[in-house]
Amino acid sequence: MDTQFCTKKSLCKATGLSNSTFKKYRLQGDWIEGIHWQRVNSRCVLYNLSLILDWLANRGQPEHHQKAIDFYMRSLPSNQGRRKA
């Protein structure tokens, strides 16, 4: 999975949804902070484009979307095993 974080403007273009819809999904807990979106500071939120597109495609099958979340989490450098020298 190619992880790309984007702004609300880029996410609007990619999904056709509005910023108010993004806010609704965040506040309702449909999109999880630290997974689907990141708060950079009090005025900036970035979105995980690949996971949000997957969420939209798999809304009716949350178990499939959970596989994408698990893959994303395993791919983070902080979840990589220590390499032996």
Side-chain angles (χ1 to χ4, degrees):
M1 177 183 294
D2 182 30
T3 303
Q4 177 182 356
F5 286 92
C6 65
T7 63
K8 63 185 176 186
K9 186 176 180 179
S10 298
L11 191 58
C12 285
K13 286 181 183 178
T15 64
L17 301 173
S18 70
N19 184 46
S20 60
T21 302
F22 306 153
K23 186 174 183 179
K24 179 182 83 170
Y25 289 147
R26 290 193 331 258
L27 294 176
Q28 286 177 218
D30 292 325
W31 292 350
I32 304 164
E33 184 172 7
I35 295 177
H36 296 99
W37 62 280
Q38 303 285 337
R39 186 180 315 275
V40 176
N41 57 43
S42 63
R43 297 182 58 172
C44 181
V45 171
L46 293 177
Y47 297 92
N48 185 325
L49 180 59
S50 56
L51 276 183
I52 289 176
L53 292 175
D54 184 84
W55 179 85
L56 287 169
N58 290 299
R59 285 184 70 181
Q61 299 174 311
E63 64 279 1
H64 292 294
H65 181 58
Q66 185 60 49
K67 290 178 185 177
I69 292 173
D70 294 342
F71 182 80
Y72 165 69
M73 295 302 291
R74 283 192 310 270
S75 73
L76 293 174
S78 59
N79 290 330
Q80 303 301 307
R82 290 172 68 180
R83 296 180 189 242
K84 295 181 180 181

